[in-house]
Amino acid sequence: MSSEPSEQTRTDSSFTYFEKGKNSKEIRDKIANFNNALQSNTDKNDTLIPDLLDYKIYYHIKLKEYDSSLYFSDSLINTAKAQNDSSYIAKGYYRKSAIFDYLNSDEEVFENAYKARQLYLKIGDTANAGRRTTEMAIAQSQLTDHTGAQQTATEALGYLADEDSTFVSSAFNTIATAYRNQGFYQDAITEWQNALNYAVTTRDSLSNLNNIALALQDQKKYDEAIKIFERIIERSNSISILSKARFVDNLAYTKWLQDSSAKVRDELLEATNIRREQNDKNGLLASYDHLGDYYRNKDSQISKLYADSLLLAAKDINSKNAELTAIEKLIQLSSLEKARDLSNRYIQLNDSIKAENIQSKNLFAKIRFDEEQKQKEINNLEAEKIKQLLETEELKSQIIILSLGGLLLIVSGGFGFFYLRQKHLKEKIRETHKTETRISKKIHDELANDVYNVMSSLEAIAPAATMDRIEHIYKLTRNISRENNEINTGEGYLDQLVALLSSICPKDARLILSGEKSIAWNDLNIEKKLVIYRVLQEIMINMNKHSKASLVAIIFSSEKNLLKIQYSDNGIGVKKESLTSGNGVQNMENRIFSINGKLKFDTAQERGLKILIQIPI
């Protein structure tokens, strides 16, 4: 029932002792090294500790030190709970179940196997859940709760895979035993045949065949039963001497049942002697029972002797069913007075067995109910905890939503302000352009024409100097008109810009343009085109008026979402003080800043002027 712990590779402070313990030949040396490993490990959360405890439990069981095994099983459960390791909690309960099996405490076997099974189901380990369920069924069968055992074993088969042959065979064996004890012998044979199909060892195969033969014996099909027993004994050389004694005893008894004159005494006594030598107390119950029957009609005194032996052996191992069988035999072999006393004892014992059977059934039901109720309480607590966590998370979510809402409101307000500001700037740029265009048209249509008409009317009578001055005023009005005329911001923008720059540049100066065709002018919005046009116009007019330059260069380029315009000339330059005081420069800066651009003048050199314009695109 109990299996050796699985191995895990670990590297920590107690690992050396752990490995040394696993590799030791003597069990005492193993346990001593595991103790050293536990003592050297001070970290309660170390996952090696459950491994160490599990090994200790296993080897204390090997030494039949069941008190120590139970102590360390509880330690394993508590440690695993502290580490929140459901797998090792389940293993701790499984180890306790195995220990109680050695101690023949079937109620404790069932309870601990049930706890282990529930945990294995919770973590999705159906294989181990099936094994523990099989052990629960065996415990129920041991306590004669045959209906419960049958139901539990059937449930176990639902969890077990065909590969887990040993436990599948055991489950079928439990179902078959339940059928036989309820008198359904043919159904029992069918289930033992199923168990036989999954038997892994020769011992298990022969045991299932033995049970099939006993069910045939119950049906008085002695010939079939004898053939199976004889076949079993032919194959029994490789099994234990106790198993062989059982088969010899069953064969001899079946022959006697078929023919009461059959000479089987020597076989019955052979089996009895082996069982005495091997201290097989359960086996002796069968031997004394069979010998008592064998001698009943041959020698009543010997029969009574074996019945007495059966009674003593039954009391020794607290087998009330065997004690009941012994009393029944003694009633038939005793005097009337003695039989009356035995009958009273028989009735009391029989009533006690029935009560215990009912109590056992109720006990198993109670264990299930109590554990299920406990699990419900745990689930309710977990549900309440989850509810509180959800409420906390909901509150956090509400706070986050409100915070995000507030942030969104601020961002939206900021964006709205930015949008309105940008919209206002765009409208201002366009309005400025409209105003400049309107003034230009008015100067052209009204002032320039009026000056021209005055100049024409005075041409015949006015002195030449006066006429020159009037003509100069006329040209100024025409230039103002040209400087502020309508700007084509569509497909013809670049052509108009190049024409503007060329027309302003003096005839004795050379204009160099570079990179203007590499710019995606159509991607620029109208406001940026207007600002670039007016700023470059202003720069060129100032150059024409003041710089006396013979070479002017304007280089266009785009880099990292920026449009760069680099202006340079070889004129007389400009002083820094002039830049800060001039309205022209202020106008250029205002225009550039209105589209989030930058304007930088380089006045460090002795001659010439350099201007860098940067505009985001």
Side-chain angles (χ1 to χ4, degrees):
M1 186 174 182
S2 183
S3 57
E4 186 169 352
S6 58
E7 295 187 8
Q8 294 187 19
T9 302
R10 296 289 305 272
T11 54
D12 46 56
S13 60
S14 59
F15 178 69
T16 303
Y17 281 122
F18 180 46
E19 286 294 299
K20 192 174 179 181
K22 287 194 294 183
N23 295 325
S24 298
K25 293 182 179 179
E26 298 296 327
I27 293 179
R28 289 292 178 196
D29 292 337
K30 287 177 177 289
I31 292 174
N33 280 297
F34 295 146
N35 287 338
N36 289 334
L38 285 169
Q39 289 172 3
S40 64
N41 198 322
T42 57
D43 183 4
K44 292 181 179 179
N45 294 318
D46 193 337
T47 55
L48 183 61
I49 294 176
D51 276 332
L52 288 166
L53 292 170
D54 193 33
Y55 271 89
K56 277 180 62 62
I57 296 164
Y58 176 79
Y59 286 110
H60 279 300
I61 292 175
K62 283 283 187 181
L63 294 174
K64 298 183 179 180
E65 296 175 349
Y66 301 125
D67 287 344
S68 295
S69 296
L70 285 173
Y71 172 80
F72 288 111
S73 294
D74 287 332
S75 296
L76 173 58
I77 291 168
N78 292 331
T79 300
K81 284 181 178 178
Q83 294 185 2
N84 198 27
D85 188 336
S86 296
S87 178
Y88 262 115
I89 299 172
K91 181 169 278 191
Y93 284 121
Y94 158 58
R95 293 297 187 197
K96 286 186 74 173
S97 175
I99 297 162
F100 283 119
D101 183 54
Y102 289 116
L103 295 172
N104 296 314
S105 182
D106 296 302
E107 296 93 339
E108 299 285 353
V109 171
F110 181 90
E111 182 174 356
N112 285 283
Y114 180 82
K115 289 178 179 178
R117 191 276 294 268
Q118 294 302 92
L119 285 166
Y120 281 127
L121 286 177
K122 191 173 182 180
I123 62 177
D125 187 349
T126 53
N128 269 317
R131 294 165 192 160
R132 303 298 80 82
T133 307
T134 304
E135 290 154 6
M136 288 163 55
I138 294 170
Q140 288 175 284
S141 181
Q142 291 290 104
L143 287 171
T144 67
D145 179 11
H146 300 302
T147 303
Q150 193 171 15
Q151 292 172 347
T152 304
T154 303
E155 185 182 356
L157 290 172
Y159 298 130
L160 295 167
D162 289 347
E163 294 77 15
D164 210 344
S165 301
T166 300
F167 284 91
V168 173
S169 180
S170 182
F172 278 123
N173 180 68
T174 302
I175 295 170
T177 301
Y179 274 133
R180 185 188 177 204
N181 281 284
Q182 295 172 89
F184 303 112
Y185 303 119
Q186 193 55 48
D187 290 321
I189 290 171
T190 300
E191 297 304 329
W192 268 314
Q193 286 172 338
N194 287 332
L196 184 62
N197 291 334
Y198 285 94
V200 175
T201 64
T202 301
R203 177 187 173 186
D204 290 340
S205 296
L206 297 181
S207 179
N208 286 313
L209 285 170
N210 176 75
N211 291 330
I212 291 170
L214 290 173
L216 290 168
Q217 181 197 95
D218 293 330
Q219 298 178 83
K220 302 186 186 305
K221 296 179 180 180
Y222 299 121
D223 287 336
E224 293 180 51
I226 288 169
K227 287 179 182 178
I228 293 175
F229 281 129
E230 288 175 342
R231 197 166 79 229
I232 291 172
I233 291 173
E234 287 175 3
R235 298 172 57 192
S236 63
N237 292 330
S238 61
I239 61 174
S240 71
I241 190 169
L242 281 178
S243 295
K244 187 171 184 179
R246 176 162 60 116
F247 302 144
V248 169
D249 181 66
N250 285 337
L251 174 59
Y253 187 65
T254 305
K255 286 180 178 180
W256 176 80
L257 287 173
Q258 185 184 44
D259 179 7
S260 60
S261 64
K263 297 179 179 180
V264 296
R265 186 193 68 172
D266 291 345
E267 288 89 338
L268 291 173
L269 290 174
E270 177 191 356
T272 304
N273 291 332
I274 292 171
R275 284 165 167 169
R276 281 201 190 103
E277 290 172 2
Q278 299 294 321
N279 195 29
D280 180 12
K281 294 181 179 181
N282 282 308
L284 282 171
L285 294 178
S287 285
Y288 293 149
D289 183 20
H290 293 166
L291 283 166
D293 289 344
Y294 175 79
Y295 278 107
R296 183 185 305 157
N297 297 324
K298 292 180 175 62
D299 190 328
S300 60
Q301 291 300 316
I302 297 176
S303 180
K304 185 175 181 299
L305 179 65
Y306 280 117
D308 284 329
S309 297
L310 175 60
L311 183 62
L312 292 172
K315 288 181 178 180
D316 183 42
I317 65 171
N318 194 30
S319 174
K320 290 185 177 181
N321 286 315
E323 187 179 347
L324 196 67
T325 301
I327 293 172
E328 186 178 3
K329 292 180 184 298
L330 288 170
I331 289 172
Q332 297 172 3
L333 295 168
S334 301
S335 63
L336 288 175
E337 185 177 349
K338 181 67 174 175
R340 190 181 300 113
D341 293 336
L342 288 170
S343 295
N344 291 332
R345 172 61 182 155
Y346 181 89
I347 294 169
Q348 291 174 356
L349 187 60
N350 190 45
D351 290 344
S352 175
I353 291 171
K354 287 180 180 179
E356 285 182 2
N357 288 343
I358 293 171
Q359 187 178 3
S360 294
K361 293 176 183 178
N362 292 336
L363 173 67
F364 295 133
K366 184 178 184 302
I367 290 171
R368 285 178 181 267
F369 179 79
D370 288 346
E371 289 301 320
E372 287 173 1
Q373 286 297 111
K374 193 183 295 181
Q375 189 59 47
K376 281 182 181 178
E377 289 177 6
I378 292 170
N379 291 340
N380 288 337
L381 287 173
E382 289 179 350
E384 185 63 29
K385 185 177 179 181
I386 291 170
K387 182 182 176 182
Q388 290 177 356
L389 286 173
L390 288 174
E391 288 175 351
T392 303
E393 290 300 318
E394 186 178 356
L395 182 60
K396 288 181 180 177
S397 298
Q398 290 175 353
I399 293 171
I400 291 171
I401 290 170
L402 289 172
S403 299
L404 288 175
L407 181 62
L408 183 62
L409 189 62
I410 293 170
V411 170
S412 300
F415 178 78
F417 175 76
F418 176 77
Y419 172 77
L420 292 173
R421 183 173 179 272
Q422 291 298 110
K423 184 180 179 182
H424 175 70
L425 288 173
K426 288 180 180 180
E427 290 174 351
K428 187 176 179 181
I429 291 170
R430 294 192 184 195
E431 188 60 35
T432 300
H433 174 63
K434 288 179 181 178
T435 301
E436 290 171 344
T437 304
R438 187 174 64 254
I439 293 171
S440 172
K441 190 173 185 304
K442 195 172 185 67
I443 291 173
H444 178 273
D445 293 344
E446 298 179 12
L447 181 60
N449 287 339
D450 288 346
V451 171
Y452 181 79
N453 290 332
V454 170
M455 185 176 65
S456 298
S457 63
L458 294 176
E459 185 177 4
I461 60 174
T466 300
M467 289 301 298
D468 290 339
R469 290 184 67 185
I470 293 173
E471 185 178 358
H472 178 69
I473 293 169
Y474 173 73
K475 287 180 179 179
L476 286 175
T477 58
R478 292 295 300 269
N479 288 339
I480 291 171
S481 174
R482 289 195 194 99
E483 289 171 8
N484 296 281
N485 62 357
E486 185 73 24
I487 300 172
N488 182 356
T489 56
E491 292 293 332
Y493 174 77
L494 179 59
D495 292 337
Q496 185 177 351
L497 178 63
V498 171
L500 169 75
L501 300 176
S502 300
S503 65
I504 297 175
C505 187
K507 294 180 180 180
D508 56 349
R510 183 184 176 189
L511 175 63
I512 299 174
L513 296 177
S514 175
E516 73 277 9
K517 293 182 180 180
S518 68
I519 306 302
W521 295 104
N522 289 334
D523 293 340
L524 292 179
N525 60 37
I526 293 172
E527 292 75 22
K528 289 179 181 178
K529 288 181 180 179
L530 293 174
V531 168
I532 292 170
Y533 188 97
R534 292 300 185 199
V535 168
L536 288 178
Q537 183 183 41
E538 187 77 28
I539 291 172
M540 290 298 291
I541 289 172
N542 287 335
M543 177 274 299
N544 192 359
K545 289 180 178 179
H546 308 296
S547 73
K548 300 179 181 179
S550 61
L551 183 63
V552 178
I554 302 175
I555 301 172
F556 297 85
S557 64
S558 59
E559 180 183 345
K560 294 182 180 179
N561 298 322
L562 281 177
L563 168 60
K564 290 184 177 182
I565 303 174
Q566 293 174 293
Y567 169 89
S568 61
D569 65 36
N570 62 350
I572 60 174
V574 62
K575 293 182 180 181
K576 190 174 182 180
E577 294 78 9
S578 299
L579 291 175
T580 57
S581 61
N583 289 330
V585 173
Q586 189 66 45
N587 287 336
M588 284 191 284
E589 287 181 341
N590 289 338
R591 290 180 190 271
I592 291 295
F593 293 161
S594 70
I595 55 172
N596 297 318
K598 293 180 180 180
L599 183 67
K600 183 179 179 181
F601 290 86
D602 183 1
T603 59
Q605 52 194 12
E606 291 183 2
R607 289 185 60 82
L609 176 65
K610 288 186 177 181
I611 303 172
L612 173 63
I613 301 170
Q614 292 180 320
I615 298 169
I617 56 175

